[in-house]
Amino acid sequence: MRNERAAGDDTAVRVALWRAMHAQVDPLPHVLEDELGLRLVAPGEEWRRRPDMDPGATRRSRASIVARARFIEDLVAARAAQGVHQYVILGAGLDTFAQRRANDASGLRVFEVDRPGPQAWKRQRLLELGFSIPPWLRLVPVDFQDGSWWDELVNAGFDEGQPAVVASMGLSMYLTHDANEAALYRLAYLVPGSAVAMTFMLPLELVDAEEQPSLEATERHARAAGTPFISLYAPQELIALAREAGFREVQHVSSAQLAERYFAGRTDGLRPSSAEELLVATT
């Protein structure tokens, strides 16, 4: 458990383990193949006995985690084919795109933006596992709440004159409304051809009734861990905010749309949680 505690981020660890669980316990076809995060965490042989790894109770949550990652990686690939060569991951956590898809990523400039402590731990673990930090991968330590992340991103080599794909996965709920609004206003002025994909958590009353008890438990756990959910959004609320910020096009990608896109035809009934959805905005 030493590695897991050192990561300093329960959410990032849980996401990494759920991605691995999808590959290990869910039937084919897999939406995403990612067991590298499991290697980074190195939680010990009993990790699947954790209460938050129960295969049945967590199936919709882990489906959401792999669906959002697959959606964003598909978006990055599509935009790269159109000539967009900068990819920014806000709240990168234990994301492994740069390692799993190194051939694709090496044609990009990838910026992983996260808090200093967890990011330093991740850098150390990558090196311990034999992964280098190539010149096209920039690890950018920031404080999201104070608004300095943009300056740090530019200082790390982000080219403000070139388009980019910016992903924010599992971050908006931990930031204040003001911080989310400021981020959208800043990102709306990326050069034309840029795209922003942001996940967001829905208020409890908009979540499927069958999922509400587990979401309430998750919120209690997050609060006890010192990372409470601060900002929840109804889809139309976030769409309006993005439009006010100045984005040219704004699209809501619902959990039902993700289910249709990545889980159609499955015989096991696996589908994403109704608690988290996506905003995709373009400049």
Side-chain angles (χ1 to χ4, degrees), residues 218-240:
T218 299
E219 289 182 320
R220 288 195 299 270
H221 177 81
R223 194 179 309 114
T227 54
F229 293 171
I230 299 172
S231 298
L232 307 177
Y233 295 95
Q236 291 303 320
E237 181 184 3
L238 197 58
I239 287 171

Side-chain angles (χ1 to χ4, degrees), residues 71-84:
F71 179 90
I72 289 173
E73 290 186 13
D74 287 351
L75 176 65
V76 171
R79 291 296 174 129
Q82 298 170 9
V84 178

Side-chain angles (χ1 to χ4, degrees), residues 57-122:
T58 65
R59 67 197 313 263
R60 293 192 69 177
S61 295
R62 69 174 178 270
S64 286
I65 292 300
V66 295
R68 76 188 191 187
R70 172 68 181 274
F71 179 90
I72 289 173
E73 290 186 13
D74 287 351
L75 176 65
V76 171
R79 291 296 174 129
Q82 298 170 9
V84 178
H85 298 302
Q86 296 189 107
Y87 176 31
V88 179
I89 311 172
L90 300 178
L94 297 175
D95 190 274
T96 58
F97 170 80
Q99 291 77 40
R100 286 182 295 106
R101 301 182 58 174
N103 289 339
D104 298 327
S106 62
L108 305 168
R109 184 172 293 179
V110 181
F111 300 86
E112 293 192 10
V113 185
D114 208 346
R115 294 178 296 130
Q119 189 173 82
W121 178 87
K122 180 181 180 181

Side-chain angles (χ1 to χ4, degrees), residues 10 70 85 118 141 146 152 156 231 274 276:
D10 288 345
R70 172 68 181 274
H85 298 302
D146 71 7
E152 296 300 330
S231 298
S274 63
E276 184 177 54

Side-chain angles (χ1 to χ4, degrees), residues 232-282:
L232 307 177
Y233 295 95
Q236 291 303 320
E237 181 184 3
L238 197 58
I239 287 171
L241 184 59
R243 286 176 174 159
E244 291 170 7
F247 284 99
R248 179 173 53 87
E249 295 181 7
V250 182
Q251 175 189 8
H252 166 223
V253 181
S254 68
S255 58
Q257 289 173 302
L258 289 174
E260 182 176 354
R261 182 167 181 171
Y262 296 118
F263 299 86
R266 296 186 69 98
T267 59
D268 59 354
L270 187 66
R271 68 190 192 280
S273 168
S274 63
E276 184 177 54
E277 300 194 325
L278 274 156
L279 177 84
V280 180
T282 56

Side-chain angles (χ1 to χ4, degrees), residues 1-10 13 40-43 50 117-118 121:
M1 298 294 289
R2 176 187 61 83
N3 286 328
E4 183 177 340
R5 289 198 301 271
D9 191 328
D10 288 345
V13 167
L40 287 170
V41 176
R50 291 168 45 139
W121 178 87

